[in-house]
Amino acid sequence: MRKLTNFFLGGIFVVLTGWPIIGVVLEIYGFFLLFRGFFPVAVGFIRRVPVIGSLLSLPGIRTVNPAHTYLGEFNNLS
């Protein structure tokens, strides 16, 4: 966990020292690593929104979404 935070905060430091492109890349990488466990939950919530959920359930998008199989286990419990 500490390594992930260091990527994110290190990216901010690199931006402030004058290397904006490298810093932003580090920030984005750190952001995705920090919140990768939250993304499947967020996608599951968005799937329940009427208009956006129907778009995410289209066959082409559903196969690309890695959270689909992860959330399918929890949707079958109810």
Side-chain angles (χ1 to χ4, degrees):
M1 183 73 163
R2 185 168 174 84
K3 179 180 175 183
L4 308 177
T5 306
N6 287 340
F7 268 108
F8 184 71
L9 295 177
I12 293 173
F13 178 74
V14 171
V15 167
L16 294 176
T17 58
W19 294 84
I21 295 174
I22 296 171
V24 168
V25 168
L26 287 174
E27 287 178 27
I28 291 171
Y29 180 68
F31 178 81
F32 281 120
L33 289 179
L34 277 172
F35 296 106
R36 68 180 168 201
F38 175 71
F39 290 134
V41 176
V43 170
F45 175 76
I46 292 172
R47 278 187 188 275
R48 298 179 195 278
V49 175
V51 175
I52 300 171
S54 62
L55 292 175
L56 287 176
S57 297
L58 292 173
I61 298 173
R62 185 183 347 180
T63 57
V64 175
N65 184 4
H68 178 67
T69 56
Y70 174 75
L71 291 172
E73 298 170 2
F74 295 108
N75 288 336
N76 291 335
L77 295 175
S78 56

